[in-house]
Amino acid sequence: MSDEITQAFGHPSERAKATAGDAPRDRISMTDHTREVEIGAFQAERGVTQKIQFDVVVEVETRAEQAVDDVDRILSYDTIVEAIDAALQAERVNLLETLAARIADSILEHPLAARVFVRIGKLDRGPYTLGVEIVRAPPSGRRRLRLLAEAAPHPIVVFLSNEAVARPDLPALLDRLEEADAPLILCVEAPDLPQPMADHAMPQRRIALLAIEQGAWVLAARDPRCVVVDSRTELDWAMKQGQISVWAPSKLVLDAVEGPDSHVTEPLALANWLVEAFEACAMLKFGVEDDPQSFAADALPNLADITQDA
């Protein structure tokens, strides 16, 4: 068997040794770590878990003898476990490649991580293991990327009923909301139209979520500043760019590991979940009867004036 084939099918630790070059680094590893995970691009893989195995090898910048038996001066095994936990808890993913890349990126945020090998395999798909293996090195700006993550913005979530969306003074209301100097995520309800009825709860939930997305596109058509977004990544980017986002909930709700209960499709309940998921600094509600108008952080006192004027 050639060296290339041996490396291709060897354990990540063997890959690390074979590609270490003239100055091999110390390595830490975690092998045969299994978890029950809901993952997969096929419809049959939704709503069920699969056994996934993780093997991770991290090359570190420091040598073991320099650690002076001080856990605070090394890259701990906990870093690997926490990276896996964070990637699994953030949202449901379709591809093992995506999951592996997120784990690697998280580990590489540690200043001592020089290179990381991640192998993930599905153990339940047959009498074999289906998997991927990646190797990543840190980006040149990894310290800066960590600072950006720590400075994630806290948005204002604004719920607009259909009546509020149809307001003739909607552009003026958006002008006032922009004065709060915080990212805006607008949430809407479904248009007042009949919805198809399915014989199973899962498709009915998708129908309800897609109906809300119809309302999102209706709102986007009212003002060019409103952009419909559906993923956490796009919402994060939009908040940092100061863009007004209109939330299309299907992807984020269905992919969330700790999402709203499966029976929850009521638009206001979903908006409240979004408030918690993004640690919103405020929530405003327009056109909602028998419900408190808003909550606002002390740092945004002018929001009370907006709701009163509206």
Side-chain angles (χ1 to χ4, degrees):
M1 186 179 295
S2 70
D3 289 343
E4 288 185 355
I5 295 176
T6 300
Q7 292 176 25
F9 289 94
H11 188 273
S13 60
E14 299 302 319
R15 291 276 305 280
K17 293 177 185 177
T19 60
D22 297 331
R25 299 183 178 95
D26 292 345
R27 293 180 294 273
I28 68 170
S29 64
M30 183 188 67
T31 62
D32 301 330
H33 178 63
T34 60
R35 299 284 296 273
E36 291 287 337
V37 179
E38 183 185 342
I39 188 171
F42 295 102
Q43 186 62 36
E45 295 177 294
R46 285 192 172 271
V48 297
T49 60
Q50 303 180 54
K51 184 176 290 186
I52 305 295
Q53 178 172 305
F54 299 86
D55 296 292
V56 181
V57 174
V58 186
E59 293 182 341
V60 295
E61 296 285 3
T62 184
R63 289 186 174 273
E65 61 267 24
Q66 295 174 334
V68 198
D69 204 29
D70 185 348
V71 71
D72 291 334
R73 295 177 59 182
I74 65 169
L75 191 157
S76 168
Y77 301 108
D78 289 340
T79 301
I80 300 175
V81 177
E82 290 169 0
I84 293 173
D85 289 343
L88 293 177
Q89 292 169 6
E91 64 178 349
R92 184 192 185 282
V93 297
N94 291 328
L95 302 176
L96 292 179
E97 290 86 348
T98 302
L99 182 58
R102 292 181 179 180
I103 292 169
D105 289 345
S106 179
I107 293 171
L108 289 170
E109 288 183 352
H110 194 288
L112 295 181
R115 195 165 59 151
V116 59
F117 296 76
V118 180
R119 173 182 287 180
I120 309 177
K122 292 183 178 181
L123 305 182
D124 296 337
R125 293 301 299 273
Y128 38 69
T129 299
L130 299 178
V132 300
E133 181 176 331
I134 67 169
V135 56
R136 294 288 188 273
S140 59
R142 65 174 171 183
R143 299 274 178 103
R144 180 172 177 270
L145 288 174
R146 293 187 74 189
L147 292 175
L148 285 175
E150 292 167 1
H154 299 284
I156 300 171
V157 174
V158 181
F159 183 84
L160 299 170
S161 69
N162 289 330
E163 292 76 10
V165 170
R167 290 170 51 149
D169 65 339
L170 178 67
L173 175 60
L174 295 178
D175 291 341
R176 294 292 311 279
L177 291 170
E178 285 187 311
E179 293 174 5
D181 195 27
L184 297 175
I185 302 178
L186 309 183
C187 300
V188 300
E189 56 185 346
D192 189 16
L193 298 170
Q195 293 183 19
M197 299 302 296
D199 293 332
H200 191 277
M202 184 177 292
Q204 191 61 50
R205 188 186 194 198
R206 284 180 171 269
I207 290 170
L209 293 171
L210 290 172
I212 296 173
E213 296 188 5
Q214 290 180 312
W217 286 105
V218 170
L219 173 56
R222 293 289 324 276
D223 191 291
R225 290 171 291 182
C226 298
V227 179
V228 177
V229 296
D230 65 356
S231 69
R232 177 177 287 273
T233 298
E234 192 174 6
L235 278 170
D236 285 338
W237 181 88
M239 288 191 292
K240 292 171 183 176
Q241 302 301 315
Q243 171 184 293
I244 300 179
S245 300
V246 184
W247 184 38
S250 293
K251 177 174 174 52
L252 201 57
V253 168
L254 295 173
D255 289 352
V257 175
E258 297 183 0
D261 292 338
S262 59
H263 65 278
V264 175
T265 56
E266 199 277 321
L268 185 54
L270 294 175
N272 287 327
W273 172 77
L274 188 71
V275 167
E276 296 183 4
F278 280 80
E279 298 181 345
C281 64
M283 182 178 190
L284 306 180
K285 303 169 188 176
F286 297 93
V288 180
E289 297 181 358
D290 301 324
D291 196 276
Q293 272 289 337
S294 67
F295 80 83
D298 293 339
L300 301 166
N302 58 326
L303 289 182
D305 296 334
I306 294 175
T307 59
Q308 290 174 3
D309 294 345

